[in-house]
Amino acid sequence: MTSTALAHTLAPAGADPTLWLVPALPLLGAVLLLLIGRRANAWGHLLACAVALAAFAVALWQFVEMTGRGAGERAATQTLFTWISVGEVHVDFGLRLDQLSMVFVLLITGVGLLIHIYSIGYMATDPARRKFFAYLNLFLAAMLLLVMADNFLVLYLGWEGVGLVSYLLIGFWQHKPSAATAAKKAFLVNRVGDIGLAIALFVMATQLGTLSYEGVFAAVDGSSAGLVTALGLLLLVGACAKSAQVPLQSWLGDAMEGPTPVSALIHAATMVTAGVYLITRANPIYDAAPTARTAVIVVGAVTLLFGAIVGCAKDDIKKVLAASTMSQVGYMVMAAGFGPAGYALAIMHLLTHGFFKAGLFLGAGSVMHGLDDEVDMRRYGALRAVMPITFVTFGLGYLAIIGVPPFAGFYSKEGIISAAFDLGSTAGAGSVGGYLLGALALLGAGLTAFYMTRVMILTFFGPERWHAGAHPHESPPLMTGPMIVIAIGSVLAGLVLAIGGRLQAWLAPVVGEHHTTHVLPVWLVTTLSLVVVALGVAVAVGLYGRRAVPVTAPEGSVLTRAARRDLYADDLNESLFMRPGQAVVAGTAVVDRTVVAGAATGVAAAVGDASARGRLLQSGLTRTYALYMLAGAGLVIAAMLVGGAL
């Protein structure tokens, strides 16, 4: 890493005594709702929305304050107390709000607030609505703590908090066995990633002597390449689990068993963005470890295609969107692997994705609300007439995600595709790896256009395929209102962030500046992308728009069957980990029964046998005891005589 980038990363920060308010407000709401209990059933949702609104208002105020300071003086910190002080390791419980964390804070509180409001209508009849809103508040608090931490240990606390609350929300309807199983699966898979992150923290503490961002990043320059590479790979393991990247992606599709607002919050503003944040925050580590950066690129590229292929074959509307999230986050992770050329692009796509993916999930929830929680798109059709607001808002999110200009996804995705072609360029000459990555990114864009067009056709067009007794209807204003606001973001966010390199300039003090000489002209990349997107749309229209859609999905090709089974990811995990793990446990149980327990019971049996035999000596007859005494006295006299003779 260059000294210039290091200086940018370690820009000095001023003190701000109000930073704690942002995560504390939703945390306070969660605590109150959980402690007050059922007495808050009638108004708990209002309190939850109020504290979310207050957190967003404070975040906006802090954003205005930040923009009023110079670019090098915008970061602010607050130390609440000393958390750990052992030997040379000193960790404060501190917060940091800089340009990078600010964009996350605004996304989390802004989109999170809209999802809270939407949930009032969506969960109106749920008897445990108060608890649901308490968990939503807790989710915001944990994610805010994660992105506002000023050291890796406080980040880890927020990281684990997000994992806990996701478990509670995914399994919120725990009376459904599928929901309980999905929650456990998400929890266990994320624990694998958490171990990687935890080991990285141990390495930092023991080898670098610090867990603070400034201390770790300053120590990177003088550390061995092997140590820095190991840190980058360990952090990537944690990011893979939280952001559902291959090979730790298997939990995300099943997580759709939770209420739809949970899916929107997880995918748009909280959990799956955490891994992208971690990689971007740790940019000095990755800039100094080319091997770790290559691993990040590979993981992102593989995942963006993995998710896109799976999304092409799913009939459950929420699982299509889940696969889409996996793929879109793959774009972000791949971009982050480009280093200084890609950090800002990754964050831009994360922000635009936060709008259009939240809109798509809330739109899916609106459709389910109108069709008695039906999720099979083959039982939809013709909903554009009866649900016009849902149709328009969902449609705007659709145009944004497939990258149609001037919608939000166009700017962020085109930037990533162009940067992929630029990878490895020197004096304008591209590399084979860059062209390959660019081609893969284009293919992902075409697949996105295909499966999202399929969703639009199956849901809103064609004849009615509703089940008997269904009466689809538009959702209430409490649900459509947030959908409209988010749809506006799907239209304008990319344009606002991209004009004049606004976001790149904003993030430069944290991730460094980078100026690229493009291998391919921007207009050519844009043209190629739009052509690929048009082909994806055309194929979907040809397959689903001009043919009758069977209510039961046909068997399909080998690839289709594989995609429906998530490309056999669960089967692979079962073969490589679950069954061998069961065999190990069974073998351990045998050893426990035969060796450990056998030794214990053997000793007990020997003692018992000796006791039984010794008991025979106790006859209770006086003459017998007198005989024993005589024999004993004789033995003692004999021993004395023998001893004297010797």
Side-chain angles (χ1 to χ4, degrees):
M1 187 179 73
T2 66
S3 58
T4 302
L6 183 63
H8 281 310
T9 304
L10 301 179
D16 186 340
T18 66
L19 296 188
W20 67 277
L21 284 172
V22 179
L25 285 167
L27 178 62
L28 175 63
V31 170
L32 288 176
L33 291 177
L34 292 174
L35 290 180
I36 294 174
R38 296 179 180 177
R39 290 170 292 178
N41 283 348
W43 47 267
H45 55 286
L46 299 178
L47 173 63
C49 291
V51 295
L53 175 60
F56 179 57
V58 173
L60 279 178
W61 171 69
Q62 290 173 336
F63 173 69
V64 172
E65 290 284 311
M66 181 179 286
T67 56
R69 300 192 291 268
E73 302 173 346
R74 286 174 173 163
T77 61
Q78 181 181 13
T79 300
L80 299 178
F81 53 86
T82 297
W83 190 2
I84 296 175
S85 184
V86 179
E88 297 181 358
V89 178
H90 181 87
V91 182
D92 290 327
F93 196 102
L95 304 176
R96 179 184 183 89
L97 187 63
D98 56 20
Q99 290 89 331
L100 177 60
S101 51
M102 176 56 80
V103 298
F104 277 86
V105 167
L106 291 176
L107 177 68
I108 295 164
T109 56
V111 174
L113 170 62
L114 294 173
I115 293 173
H116 272 67
I117 297 171
Y118 175 95
S119 300
I120 295 176
Y122 191 88
M123 301 292 289
T125 60
D126 195 294
R129 182 170 65 166
R130 181 261 317 162
K131 184 185 294 185
F132 177 80
F133 275 92
Y135 293 162
L136 286 187
N137 272 185
L138 193 57
F139 214 165
L140 293 190
M143 190 64 191
L144 288 168
L145 182 62
L146 190 159
V147 300
M148 292 182 68
D150 78 340
N151 61 72
F152 283 99
L153 190 59
V154 177
L155 178 146
Y156 189 75
L157 178 62
W159 192 272
E160 290 300 306
V162 168
L164 170 63
V165 186
S166 67
Y167 167 77
L168 296 173
L169 285 171
I170 293 169
F172 185 75
W173 288 327
Q174 55 189 278
H175 60 276
K176 297 167 54 179
S178 57
T181 301
K184 288 186 288 186
K185 183 177 182 180
F187 190 81
L188 291 174
V189 172
N190 273 274
R191 296 295 71 72
V192 176
D194 293 353
I195 290 173
L197 181 56
I199 294 175
L201 266 63
F202 289 137
V203 172
M204 292 174 190
T206 57
Q207 301 300 314
L208 304 181
T210 180
L211 290 170
S212 70
Y213 294 150
E214 290 83 356
V216 170
F217 298 158
V220 162
D221 240 9
S223 300
S224 67
L227 175 63
V228 180
T229 299
L231 283 177
L233 293 176
L234 288 168
L235 294 177
L236 177 59
V237 172
C240 282
K242 275 291 184 289
S243 291
Q245 299 292 284
V246 172
L248 298 175
Q249 81 295 340
S250 61
W251 65 272
L252 192 62
D254 294 315
M256 298 304 98
E257 290 292 338
T260 301
V262 174
S263 303
L265 194 58
I266 287 177
H267 289 248
T270 54
M271 189 164 176
V272 297
T273 66
V276 181
Y277 172 80
L278 177 63
I279 295 172
T280 307
R281 173 59 74 187
N283 65 85
I285 294 176
Y286 289 100
D287 289 346
T291 301
R293 272 178 51 190
T294 300
V296 173
I297 293 173
V298 171
V299 165
V302 170
T303 307
L304 78 87
L305 288 181
F306 185 101
I309 292 170
V310 170
C312 290
K314 295 291 187 180
D315 292 325
D316 183 321
I317 188 171
K318 290 177 65 178
K319 290 194 174 183
V320 174
L321 297 180
S324 169
T325 295
M326 193 187 305
S327 179
Q328 298 304 307
V329 175
Y331 274 107
M332 302 171 206
V333 171
M334 183 178 72
F338 297 160
Y343 294 129
L345 292 172
I347 299 303
M348 180 184 290
H349 196 51
L350 185 148
L351 292 174
T352 59
H353 179 267
F355 284 103
F356 60 68
K357 186 51 61 67
L360 291 170
F361 265 112
L362 296 188
S366 179
V367 170
M368 293 167 58
H369 183 269
L371 282 173
D372 301 326
D373 288 330
E374 178 63 65
V375 295
D376 190 342
M377 295 184 296
R378 294 181 179 275
R379 298 182 181 274
Y380 290 168
L383 291 177
R384 67 186 185 280
V386 294
M387 304 182 72
I389 298 177
T390 300
F391 168 62
V392 172
T393 55
F394 193 97
L396 292 174
Y398 155 74
L399 293 173
I401 192 174
I402 68 173
V404 173
F407 297 93
F410 167 76
Y411 298 95
S412 54
K413 192 181 294 185
E414 295 309 301
I416 293 174
I417 294 173
S418 182
F421 280 110
D422 297 336
L423 184 67
S425 64
T426 304
S431 67
V432 174
Y435 288 125
L436 176 60
L437 279 178
L440 292 177
L442 283 174
L443 177 59
L447 292 174
T448 302
F450 171 80
Y451 67 72
M452 286 307 305
T453 302
R454 176 175 178 264
V455 170
M456 286 295 295
I457 293 172
L458 293 181
T459 303
F460 296 104
F461 295 90
E464 302 173 3
R465 300 185 302 276
W466 315 325
H467 61 78
H471 301 285
H473 54 277
E474 189 59 273
S475 298
L478 279 173
M479 295 173 64
T480 56
M483 290 161 57
I484 293 171
V485 175
I486 289 175
I488 294 172
S490 299
V491 176
L492 299 177
L495 185 64
V496 171
L497 295 172
I499 287 180
R502 185 174 295 169
L503 183 63
Q504 287 88 337
W506 174 262
L507 293 174
V510 181
V511 302
E513 296 182 4
H514 183 80
H515 302 285
T516 302
T517 301
H518 294 296
V519 171
L520 298 179
V522 175
W523 66 266
L524 179 57
V525 175
T526 300
T527 301
L528 288 173
S529 179
L530 292 178
V531 168
V532 170
V533 167
L535 287 174
V537 172
V539 172
V541 171
L543 290 177
Y544 299 97
R546 298 177 180 175
R547 302 179 185 179
V549 178
V551 175
T552 302
E555 184 176 356
S557 65
V558 174
L559 181 58
T560 300
R561 294 196 297 272
R564 287 176 183 153
R565 292 178 62 88
D566 297 331
L567 298 181
Y568 302 110
D570 284 337
D571 302 82
L572 183 64
N573 288 336
E574 181 176 337
S575 300
L576 292 181
F577 302 108
M578 191 194 81
R579 295 198 180 281
Q582 288 177 329
V584 170
V585 171
T588 303
V590 171
V591 172
D592 180 69
R593 288 194 302 268
T594 58
V595 179
V596 180
T601 56
V603 171
V607 172
D609 184 63
S611 299
R613 294 179 182 278
R615 189 167 58 246
L616 297 176
L617 299 175
Q618 305 297 322
S619 64
L621 300 175
T622 303
R623 62 178 180 272
T624 302
Y625 296 151
L627 181 61
Y628 291 160
M629 294 173 62
L630 178 62
L635 289 174
V636 171
I637 294 171
M640 293 174 62
L641 292 174
V642 172
L646 294 176

